[in-house]
Amino acid sequence: MSQQLAENLPKQLPRIDAKEQSEEEEEATVPPTPGIVADFETAIDAAGFGMFNILLLVAAVPAAMGTVYETSTMSYILPSAECDLKLSLLDKGILNAITYAGMISSAVFWGYFADTKGRRKLLIYGYAVDTICVLGGAFSQSVVQLMIFKYFGGFCMSGPFAVLMTYLTELHGRQHRQRIMMIVGIMFSIATLTLPGLAMLMLPQDWELNIWNFKMTAWQMFVAVTALPSLLSSMLFPLFPESPKFLMSRGRNQEALAAFQFMYALNTRKPKDSYPFKVLANEVPEQVTKHKSHAELKLPIESSATATVPPVDPELATMPKSGLSAGLSQLRPLFTKPYLGLSLWVYLLNFCVLLGQNTMRLWLPQLFASINEFEHQVGGQSGETSICRILEFSVNRTQSQLVAVKDPNAECTVNVTAATYTNNLIVAAAGLVAYMLAGFLVNLVGVKRIMTVGLLCAACCSIGMYWSSSAASTVAIASLFVTMGSISATSVISASVSLFPTSLRTMIVSLEMMFGRLGSLLGNIFFPALMGLGCVPPFFMISFFMLAGCVMAAFLPLKNKAALK
């Protein structure tokens, strides 16, 4: 869960300090004056909060579900699909990891697209193409075909994954922005909870459907159903306007004004013409302004020269410049003092945290399926469900299934019941509770302390799996691991935002998430390889990286509740 939340943190994080918080309430009570040029914050506050915002949040629900389903679906179908696809342990690891490979390879492309073509277009095209990729995966008849579609699914989802929170943030005023971030985080948590519920309903069924030359079983129908949120998102986002912040940063102020008027009319039930502002401030970065006249910026020369322009919020006004030279200029400070060492420290920290968190999270469905099948075969004998016995059973069973697939006289069977996914539902619910408590705990004890303690607890839980002697204790330890890892992964992003100035914040979050995805990819490939060596190595690997993250978090130069730079 944390990985989905962390990856969807907005590219432009709102700046909050004590002075600004005290001024927000005053700004909300002062009615806007029609005669002045409005900056973005003034204009978005005048649009109000109401029906438009509620409809936008409703549209964000399937979008959040689509992003969660893209990265997590494979972990649930592995027990059901191993006979149909002839899956080895390494194949299972690659299927879990390949989505992250697609995300890493497309990060630069989607970043350029978002900054030049807009957030709305990216969301529409990204979810539409992802729908095609998910349906292609559903019709796959071999593991290679499924891997290809999952790779391109990750490639397509990387853009909407990162831009969704930015888009929602830019369509809300400062008064509601933090609450919206919390609400969307809860949406991602609930989406994580719905996936095992859907798996519980569909995967145990003995369904088989023949469409032309394609055979579809229950797991393929399950994959096809997970395309619905992306399809719905691609149909809903065309009904909403482009981000007015993006439009103003590109000099398209008339379009931005039309967007504000549309929001105002829906929220207040008043005519668009009654929107209190007629002219918007010039928020085009200086490098663009040099090459544009007042006419091109759609700003009257007289108004821009004489009107009083309110100060622009520095956090939302800072937009990444498009083009190779602009990207290099953003990267340069991160590779020189004083930020070189600190940025590398943050990248490595996120690499360790997401390697441990996402490896354990994505292998839990397979682990719980093995526990369920093992207990079914041995009849629930006491003392027989230690984690080492379970892993040994899982490895041997996978090998025997591969032999059965190759031998025409042998039968390859899978035993998947609704109880197989009950434990996943419990772990997902624990993660949801963790997110609900995260905001309170961070404010109470501070980001650095909660991150350090959370990673230490997660490391202890991982190595503690070795001594787990029953299914109940395994579920309890896994739930605690996911809970602590969830809070810690979210805290890493919060900490990195506090460590760097506004101008570098977007690039830092993007790069550290790229390293985190690389960790997720490598962890899911190494885990099955280490399973073949015994029960200690895979959990020791996760514990080692979580402990390394704990040590790095403890030495971060971060003060609790420090003001943003």
Side-chain angles (χ1 to χ4, degrees):
M1 176 188 65
S2 61
Q3 186 263 342
Q4 288 95 17
L5 172 64
E7 293 184 356
N8 291 272
L9 284 173
K11 290 188 176 181
Q12 317 300 330
L13 295 168
R15 178 171 183 161
I16 301 295
D17 55 37
K19 180 180 178 182
E20 190 176 69
Q21 285 179 337
S22 64
E23 291 175 353
E24 282 181 12
E25 296 181 2
E26 295 178 12
E27 291 177 1
T29 59
V30 177
T33 306
I36 70 169
V37 175
D39 72 326
F40 171 76
E41 290 296 349
T42 306
I44 195 75
D45 287 340
F49 184 94
M51 182 58 66
F52 171 84
N53 306 88
I54 294 171
L55 293 174
L56 182 63
L57 291 176
V58 170
V61 172
M65 294 175 68
T67 55
V68 170
Y69 288 2
E70 181 61 53
T71 56
S72 305
T73 302
M74 287 298 101
S75 62
Y76 288 93
I77 69 164
L78 296 181
S80 303
E82 62 181 349
C83 284
D84 292 338
L85 299 179
K86 307 177 182 65
L87 297 178
S88 66
L89 282 174
L90 183 59
D91 291 334
K92 294 178 180 181
I94 293 174
L95 281 174
N96 272 336
I98 193 106
T99 301
Y100 293 103
M103 287 182 164
I104 293 170
S105 60
S106 65
V108 175
F109 167 77
W110 285 119
Y112 176 81
F113 191 102
D115 293 337
T116 55
K117 304 300 181 182
R119 286 85 164 93
R120 177 174 167 270
K121 283 185 179 179
L122 186 150
L123 291 170
I124 295 169
Y125 296 148
Y127 281 114
V129 180
D130 179 69
T131 302
I132 297 172
C133 292
V134 175
L135 291 176
F139 282 96
S140 295
Q141 303 295 300
S142 70
V143 64
V144 174
Q145 291 176 12
L146 185 57
M147 286 178 182
I148 291 172
F149 281 113
K150 288 306 297 179
Y151 171 82
F152 283 109
F155 188 99
C156 296
M157 187 53 74
S158 178
F161 207 95
V163 169
L164 177 62
M165 284 285 282
T166 303
Y167 181 70
L168 295 174
T169 301
E170 292 177 347
L171 286 171
H172 289 86
R174 280 173 295 185
Q175 237 184 340
H176 304 284
R177 205 167 284 148
Q178 291 299 308
R179 294 189 189 96
I180 293 305
M181 290 173 64
M182 183 63 67
I183 290 171
V184 176
I186 294 172
M187 286 181 189
F188 278 92
S189 305
I190 294 173
T192 305
L193 192 61
T194 61
L195 195 56
L198 187 62
M200 188 184 298
L201 290 174
M202 296 188 66
L203 292 180
Q205 307 302 322
D206 189 21
W207 293 335
E208 187 170 322
L209 181 66
N210 291 306
I211 303 176
W212 294 295
N213 293 325
F214 296 101
K215 184 184 79 169
M216 289 194 71
T217 56
W219 70 264
Q220 290 169 303
M221 296 179 194
F222 170 76
V223 174
V225 168
T226 61
L228 290 177
S230 294
L231 176 63
L232 190 57
S233 298
S234 67
M235 297 168 63
L236 288 176
F237 281 118
L239 303 177
F240 295 89
E242 177 58 89
S243 161
K245 182 62 200 173
F246 167 79
L247 293 172
M248 292 177 71
S249 72
R250 306 299 295 179
R252 295 155 62 182
N253 283 17
Q254 289 301 320
E255 295 176 57
L257 184 60
F260 286 129
Q261 290 172 337
F262 176 77
M263 296 163 61
Y264 174 81
L266 268 181
N267 288 336
T268 64
R269 310 291 200 282
K270 295 179 181 179
K272 294 181 180 180
D273 293 341
S274 62
Y275 181 69
F277 297 106
K278 305 302 179 187
V279 181
L280 299 177
N282 176 12
E283 294 193 2
V284 180
E286 186 179 349
Q287 289 82 355
V288 179
T289 310
K290 288 178 183 178
H291 306 288
K292 294 205 174 195
S293 65
H294 285 278
E296 287 175 307
L297 295 176
K298 299 182 176 67
L299 270 174
I301 298 176
E302 298 82 10
S303 299
S304 61
T306 59
T308 304
V309 181
V312 178
D313 179 65
E315 191 69 40
L316 281 171
T318 306
M319 296 292 297
K321 301 180 287 289
S322 61
L324 180 61
S325 61
L328 292 176
S329 68
Q330 263 193 308
L331 281 172
R332 193 176 298 115
L334 299 178
F335 291 95
T336 56
K337 292 183 178 181
Y339 296 116
L340 175 60
L342 186 58
S343 60
L344 293 176
W345 194 267
V346 170
Y347 303 153
L348 188 57
L349 172 59
N350 207 44
F351 175 89
C352 292
V353 173
L354 290 189
L355 185 149
Q357 171 73 0
N358 283 330
T359 300
M360 179 72 82
R361 181 179 67 84
L362 293 176
W363 275 92
L364 281 178
Q366 175 67 51
L367 182 62
F368 289 145
S370 298
I371 291 175
N372 184 71
E373 188 164 359
F374 181 80
E375 288 183 335
H376 177 75
Q377 288 192 8
V378 302
Q381 299 174 25
S382 59
E384 290 292 321
T385 53
S386 69
I387 199 68
C388 286
R389 291 293 303 274
I390 296 299
L391 286 184
E392 181 183 358
F393 169 80
S394 180
V395 171
N396 292 336
R397 185 184 179 285
T398 300
Q399 296 301 323
S400 64
Q401 296 283 48
L402 286 175
V403 173
V405 168
K406 296 175 182 178
D407 185 357
N409 298 320
E411 184 181 1
C412 179
T413 59
V414 292
N415 180 32
V416 177
T417 64
T420 304
Y421 300 100
T422 304
N423 293 333
N424 295 287
L425 207 57
I426 295 172
V427 173
L432 174 60
V433 173
Y435 183 78
M436 301 288 282
L437 295 175
F440 170 75
L441 292 174
V442 168
N443 289 332
L444 186 67
V445 301
V447 171
K448 184 175 178 178
R449 288 195 191 104
I450 198 171
M451 183 166 43
T452 306
V453 173
L455 290 171
L456 179 61
C457 289
C460 294
C461 288
S462 178
I463 202 65
M465 282 276 198
Y466 176 76
W467 289 280
S468 176
S469 58
S470 67
S473 62
T474 301
V475 173
I477 293 172
S479 298
L480 184 59
F481 177 93
V482 170
T483 300
M484 293 295 102
S486 170
I487 295 175
S488 301
T490 305
S491 300
V492 170
I493 303 296
S494 300
S496 62
V497 167
S498 302
L499 287 169
F500 294 89
T502 302
S503 58
L504 300 178
R505 220 166 277 160
T506 298
M507 189 58 67
I508 280 292
V509 172
S510 299
L511 289 175
E512 73 174 311
M513 288 316 304
M514 185 184 73
F515 277 89
R517 288 166 178 165
L518 179 62
S520 302
L521 187 153
L522 294 177
N524 277 284
I525 292 176
F526 289 150
F527 191 86
L530 294 173
M531 281 176 66
L533 301 178
C535 67
V536 175
F539 296 108
F540 179 79
M541 176 194 75
I542 293 176
S543 183
F544 171 79
F545 280 102
M546 285 303 209
L547 195 58
C550 173
V551 173
M552 286 187 285
F555 288 96
L556 273 180
L558 180 71
K559 294 181 181 179
N560 290 321
K561 299 183 181 180
L564 293 184
K565 295 180 182 180

